[in-house]
Amino acid sequence: MTECVLKQVDGAVATLTLNRPEKLNALNYETIDTLLAALDGIEDDGRVRGVILTGTGRAFSAGGDIPEFSGSVARSPEAALRDFVARGQRLTARIEAFRKPILVAVNGLAYGGGCEVTEAAPLAIASDRAVFAKPEIRLGMPPTFGGTQRLSRLAGRKRAMQLLLTGETFSPDRALELGLVNAVVPHEELLPAARALLERILVHSPLAVATILTAVTRGLNLPITEGLLVEAEQFARMAPTADLREGLDSWIARRHPIYPGTWSSVVGS
């Protein structure tokens, strides 16, 4: 049986590849559960410090698995909410709040849930062959994996409304303009570009990376006064660590830092 998600670890970077090309990497329940389990394993693996999420074939992901979802709807609204909506929202929330950087490398179609995963990730790079869409309205429903919430926060209310209410496709350059991706690159350069961006991040303290990810994600939708408290809280976590001491000492000494990268390694008082 073909694995629905492939995992490869190269140094400090894990690549997770959606592997249902015959279904345009539709996010069926097994794929979502497998992705969640893979992220759990990566979170506990101290060797892995960053994640690339991509797809096989001509799609990143065409969205939810509609036949499977339709079966849940036919059983009951409660089944659809439990099996499809809650599961999909759990995945996008996990990606959004993950304390190691996740970069989506959009290799092709990113429709519906595939677009929502891209919205949730802190970083994304698109191939020049990528195509995006919010087509749920064509099925007589709203997005359910967070698309009504995250897209408007990224792109602005009116621009998001047009995409959500028309279901029209849009280009990778438009996705860049709307803030869904960080860059658009030639297709053959997609994975090298994703790896290069992650490596520019991974030279820094993994603890600092984690606190920045947390501060931005938790503070983004708070009033600024509350967001500043989140920022201060994350600094307070860093303050006693050997990573901060190493960062300051290496800066003063004009040398490259060597970070211990563990919360248990703290400076004595």
Side-chain angles (χ1 to χ4, degrees):
M1 184 175 177
T2 302
E3 294 180 74
C4 58
V5 178
L6 305 177
K7 177 181 174 182
Q8 180 181 6
V9 177
D10 182 9
V13 177
T15 300
L16 300 177
T17 305
L18 303 177
N19 189 40
R20 301 181 73 213
E22 73 287 354
K23 300 293 185 181
L24 298 179
N25 299 321
L27 297 169
N28 65 346
Y29 301 160
E30 180 189 8
T31 298
I32 293 174
D33 292 346
T34 302
L35 272 175
L36 286 166
L39 291 174
D40 287 345
I42 288 169
E43 185 175 51
D44 292 336
D45 189 343
R47 299 167 300 172
V48 175
R49 295 180 50 202
V51 180
I52 295 171
L53 177 58
T54 192
T56 53
R58 66 186 187 91
F60 169 58
S61 174
D65 189 299
I66 301 306
E68 188 176 52
F69 168 56
S70 179
S72 294
V73 172
R75 283 192 292 278
S76 69
E78 293 77 16
L81 283 167
R82 180 191 64 244
D83 297 342
F84 184 72
V85 178
R87 185 183 257 108
Q89 289 188 358
R90 190 158 59 247
L91 175 64
T92 53
R94 185 80 166 106
I95 289 170
E96 184 174 53
F98 205 63
R99 285 175 63 84
K100 298 178 182 182
I102 297 177
L103 189 156
V104 173
V106 187
N107 56 294
L109 300 178
Y111 288 5
C115 194
E116 287 168 305
V117 166
T118 306
E119 294 159 17
L123 299 161
I125 294 177
S127 157
D128 56 6
R129 299 181 191 173
V131 184
F132 297 83
K134 309 293 295 184
E136 290 88 347
I137 196 166
R138 296 173 183 261
L139 301 174
M141 58 181 277
T144 57
F145 291 5
T148 62
Q149 303 304 304
R150 293 188 180 93
L151 183 63
S152 58
R153 286 164 168 79
L154 287 167
R157 177 171 173 259
K158 286 183 170 58
R159 294 192 292 184
M161 281 293 192
Q162 180 175 337
L163 298 173
L164 291 164
L165 294 174
T166 64
E168 294 170 348
T169 61
F170 56 102
S171 69
D173 288 334
R174 181 63 168 158
L176 178 62
E177 179 188 348
L178 295 173
L180 269 67
V181 301
N182 297 87
V184 178
V185 300
H187 185 75
E188 61 275 10
E189 297 177 16
L190 179 62
L191 290 181
R195 176 90 188 198
L197 177 53
L198 271 185
E199 288 179 346
R200 299 207 306 272
I201 294 167
L202 300 186
V203 298
H204 302 297
S205 159
L207 310 188
V209 169
T211 54
I212 290 169
L213 288 167
T214 298
V216 172
T217 301
R218 286 178 50 193
L220 187 62
N221 301 312
L222 295 174
I224 185 65
T225 51
E226 295 179 32
L228 290 171
L229 291 175
V230 173
E231 182 176 273
E233 172 192 273
Q234 292 304 305
F235 169 76
R237 291 200 70 194
M238 284 296 304
T241 66
D243 273 25
L244 178 56
R245 186 71 267 160
E246 171 63 10
L248 295 172
D249 289 348
S250 64
W251 181 276
I252 292 167
R254 297 294 188 266
R255 60 173 174 79
H256 290 294
I258 301 174
Y259 294 111
T262 172
W263 293 105
S264 62
S265 183
V266 298
V267 177
S269 58

